[in-house]
Amino acid sequence: MNNSKIIFRNCLILLFLLQFSINQEIYAQKKKEYLVTSFGAVADGKTVNTKAIQKAIDAAYKNKGGKVIFSKGKYLSGSLILKDNVELYLEEGAVLLGSINPDDYPKYQEIRALIIAYQSKNIAVNGKGIIDGQGRELALAIDSLHHTGVRIDPKYNYRRMRPEDGRGKLISFVKCDSIVMTHITLKNSPGWVNCFTDCRNIVVDSMKVESRAYWNNDGIDVNGCENVRITNCNVNTADDGICLKSEVPGLENNNIYIANCIIRSSANAVKFGTGSYGSFKNVTIENITVFDTFRSAIAIESVDGAEIENIKVSNVTAVNTGNAILIRLGHRNGDKPGYIKNVSIKNVKAQIPFGRPDIDYDLRGPEVDYFHNPFPASIAGIPGHSIENVILENIEIIYPGRASKGMAYHPLSRLKDVKENIKGYPEFTMFGELPSWGFYVRHVNGIEMKNIKLILDKEDFRPAFVFDDVKKLAMKEINVPSDKINQIVFKDVISDNLDSESLKRKTEPEQNKFELPVN
């Protein structure tokens, strides 16, 4: 066959392939389905498909919306920009792999992530496939580039020997409206996994998050959003599991529902904060299972001026978890402290271990740097700014005991010396050694505790409850170990209502209330 015939044949083949591709695209546009392979994506896990996938997204967007489909295979990509009325759909067996080249993640509207949406409406990420950011590999590549001088990170953390800049998130949606994410699996982010900032009308259901690749691997972050529903999710992360944030003043969280989720974390399971500049209002959290979690099952924190109110938490089971409940009003930033009021926490069962609960994580939470006994749950405001109107009902917590005065000792005669730590990072360990083993409550105006059962695995020399600067306290049906006396300690408590008859103890009722002199 001569050269002219070969050239003619190849031209026919190319023409056929081009026409086939055009026909596929026309057919896809009619059905509003866009296979990324029809736009040149190669599912070999090696070819960088950023341009091809973005071309499919853009085609769907220009055709007033559609479904961009990833069929079975591995698709390597850098940053993708999701646009109005476009759904990313990963079929079972499809994997979207994040590139490990930091140059593949340029900022878009100051956002760095694998999947980005900015001011988009009616967007979705669905399907039984996987989005894998290869976050550890990316972070280590960034680390290497910094140390070789190729790409200097001005924010490099030399104490922890980890890069700060350039890692980005797995998914970041900013100022978006009407978002749906269902059944998708998110893995191995270089930073926060799935972050919604200043968004409205979000539905997340049956999503799995498995991200222990590096530090700052928050699972689901809701940062100043309204009308949010997160249900039936399974979250396992090397930082906070589901976290409500308000990173800058003006970001308001309102009308949020979180339910039927399973969470494992080397930090907190469900957390408000730490960034807490705006507000958190009308939040319902229910039917949550927590296990092997380093910090708190439920942490509600306002330390940057945030207004937190109308919070309902119920039906929480936490096993092998560092702390059951933390409610903290502090004043780290802002012109004045915020407030926390109208918080109801009901039907909680928790088991606190003696050792660290995240020991099986390869990326464990940072232990405190001082000797201490096991910590109680804490509800603490600051002088002049009390937490208001808290209801705790049907709470059962098993504590490890084994406290020793040789390890640490804070005598009851020196309750005034418990650190206020007004500007401190909010955590249940932030006050240092505490004088109780069950609950430590300070600077609270209005708290009702009903049907509270505290159990010790081993002996603890401290009392179960310490109340300091508390007004309008009501306690009913309090169940503490029967062989202990002086289990409830009051200092500067006004208008207490302690139902001695319902205190389930073998000792005399008057022994349960131990008044400290006012200093």
Side-chain angles (χ1 to χ4, degrees):
M1 188 180 291
N2 59 38
N3 289 338
S4 61
K5 289 183 178 179
I6 293 172
I7 293 171
F8 179 72
R9 187 192 68 178
N10 289 342
C11 287
L12 285 176
I13 292 171
L14 287 172
L15 183 62
F16 171 79
L17 291 174
L18 179 61
Q19 187 61 45
F20 178 75
S21 177
I22 291 172
N23 289 340
Q24 270 200 317
E25 187 170 337
I26 292 172
Y27 177 72
Q29 288 175 352
K30 289 180 179 178
K31 289 188 65 178
K32 294 208 170 187
E33 292 184 352
Y34 303 80
L35 276 80
V36 295
T37 50
S38 298
F39 292 82
V42 180
D44 61 0
K46 299 177 182 178
T47 304
V48 179
N49 295 296
T50 312
K51 291 182 179 180
I53 298 170
Q54 191 62 54
K55 187 177 178 182
I57 294 171
D58 293 345
Y61 169 68
K62 290 175 183 176
N63 196 36
K64 298 183 180 179
K67 180 186 288 189
V68 174
I69 299 174
F70 296 78
S71 54
K72 186 177 181 180
K74 294 183 178 180
Y75 302 84
L76 187 66
S77 178
S79 287
L80 301 169
I81 312 302
L82 192 54
K83 299 182 179 179
D84 289 1
N85 306 310
V86 176
E87 173 188 4
L88 297 185
Y89 187 85
L90 281 75
E91 295 179 347
E92 190 169 5
V95 181
L96 175 60
L97 284 174
S99 169
I100 62 172
N101 181 353
D103 292 333
D104 289 334
Y105 299 93
K107 282 188 175 182
Y108 175 79
Q109 298 292 343
E110 297 302 310
I111 309 165
R112 196 190 306 278
L114 176 59
I115 300 175
I116 297 170
Y118 179 76
Q119 292 186 341
S120 297
K121 296 180 179 179
N122 191 27
I123 56 177
V125 180
N126 296 324
K128 294 185 178 180
I130 297 171
I131 300 174
D132 185 342
Q134 301 194 100
R136 182 174 298 177
E137 293 83 353
L138 174 60
L140 291 177
I142 295 170
D143 186 81
S144 178
L145 291 171
H146 173 81
H147 288 291
T148 55
V150 175
R151 187 186 178 112
I152 299 298
D153 178 1
K155 299 179 180 179
Y156 193 88
N157 190 320
Y158 282 98
R159 185 174 72 86
R160 292 179 171 175
M161 293 299 289
R162 291 168 176 170
E164 293 273 9
D165 193 39
R167 290 186 290 125
K169 304 176 178 70
L170 193 66
I171 297 176
S172 182
F173 294 154
V174 179
K175 297 182 181 297
C176 296
D177 191 352
S178 301
I179 302 165
V180 175
M181 298 184 70
T182 61
H183 296 105
I184 198 75
T185 295
L186 308 181
K187 296 180 67 175
N188 304 325
S189 176
W192 291 352
V193 181
N194 191 15
C195 187
F196 305 97
T197 300
D198 197 11
C199 295
R200 303 291 178 270
N201 306 314
I202 302 168
V203 174
V204 178
D205 184 67
S206 301
M207 184 168 72
K208 183 177 181 181
V209 180
E210 182 79 26
S211 193
R212 301 185 295 166
Y214 214 60
W215 68 331
N216 299 132
N217 270 192
D218 283 12
I220 302 172
D221 283 333
V222 177
N223 185 17
C225 297
E226 186 172 9
N227 301 331
V228 181
R229 185 179 180 89
I230 300 172
T231 55
N232 305 307
C233 292
N234 193 324
V235 179
N236 184 355
T237 58
D239 211 321
D240 299 320
I242 299 176
C243 192
L244 309 183
K245 300 176 182 287
S246 178
E247 291 289 302
V248 296
L251 279 182
E252 299 181 354
N253 296 280
N254 185 38
N255 192 22
I256 295 173
Y257 180 71
I258 301 169
N260 305 319
C261 294
I262 300 171
I263 304 173
R264 181 179 186 231
S265 167
S266 63
N268 300 277
V270 180
K271 177 180 177 181
F272 294 57
T274 298
S276 48
Y277 289 88
S279 64
F280 305 76
K281 296 181 180 180
N282 307 313
V283 179
T284 299
I285 301 164
E286 61 185 15
N287 305 326
I288 304 296
T289 299
V290 181
F291 70 103
D292 295 355
T293 289
F294 179 56
R295 290 177 174 160
S296 300
I298 301 294
I300 301 171
E301 306 162 356
S302 169
V303 294
D304 303 315
E307 301 169 348
I308 299 180
E309 63 178 304
N310 299 336
I311 312 299
K312 296 180 180 179
V313 180
S314 63
N315 302 327
V316 177
T317 300
V319 177
N320 195 37
T321 298
N323 177 57
I325 299 165
L326 171 68
I327 305 176
R328 172 59 173 170
L329 173 61
H331 189 201
R332 183 178 65 171
N333 294 300
D335 295 333
K336 61 180 182 179
Y339 63 76
I340 300 176
K341 64 181 180 181
N342 303 334
V343 176
S344 170
I345 301 178
K346 298 182 178 181
N347 305 326
V348 175
K349 288 190 175 183
Q351 179 262 326
I352 313 301
F354 184 75
R356 61 178 309 140
D358 64 338
I359 193 65
D360 290 334
Y361 272 83
D362 56 350
L363 194 70
R364 294 171 295 281
E367 182 59 279
V368 298
D369 59 355
Y370 56 85
F371 292 128
H372 64 87
N373 288 303
F375 293 100
S378 295
I379 303 171
I382 57 178
H385 297 274
S386 295
I387 295 168
E388 300 179 69
N389 302 331
V390 176
I391 296 174
L392 301 178
E393 186 173 352
N394 301 334
I395 311 290
E396 179 180 310
I397 308 175
I398 302 173
Y399 284 98
R402 296 178 59 183
S404 167
K405 292 183 180 181
M407 175 61 71
Y409 179 47
H410 197 112
L412 295 174
S413 60
R414 298 208 316 266
L415 290 184
K416 63 182 179 61
D417 294 334
V418 176
K419 292 189 296 185
E420 293 285 357
N421 203 3
I422 294 172
K423 295 183 177 294
Y425 185 92
E427 201 53 80
F428 70 99
T429 59
M430 68 183 298
F431 306 112
E433 177 69 9
L434 285 171
S436 56
W437 60 266
F439 276 90
Y440 177 73
V441 181
R442 179 167 60 175
H443 307 313
V444 175
N445 184 3
I447 178 168
E448 179 181 346
M449 306 181 82
K450 182 179 179 181
N451 192 22
I452 310 296
K453 184 177 182 180
L454 303 182
I455 301 170
L456 280 174
D457 277 341
K458 301 289 184 181
E459 180 64 25
D460 197 306
F461 67 87
R462 301 169 296 178
F465 298 88
V466 167
F467 297 92
D468 186 354
D469 183 26
V470 176
K471 299 179 179 66
K472 300 177 184 177
L473 167 65
M475 301 182 75
K476 298 180 180 180
E477 300 177 47
I478 308 301
N479 190 327
V480 292
S482 60
D483 59 342
K484 298 281 286 182
I485 62 172
N486 297 334
Q487 285 281 47
I488 300 175
V489 173
F490 286 179
K491 177 180 181 291
D492 298 333
V493 174
I494 300 174
S495 300
D496 63 277
N497 182 4
L498 176 61
D499 184 358
S500 299
E501 295 300 322
S502 67
L503 190 64
K504 298 177 181 178
R505 298 269 323 294
K506 291 181 181 178
T507 51
E508 294 299 322
E510 59 270 23
Q511 291 180 303
N512 297 301
K513 182 176 174 182
F514 175 59
E515 296 276 7
L516 287 181
V518 178
N519 291 308

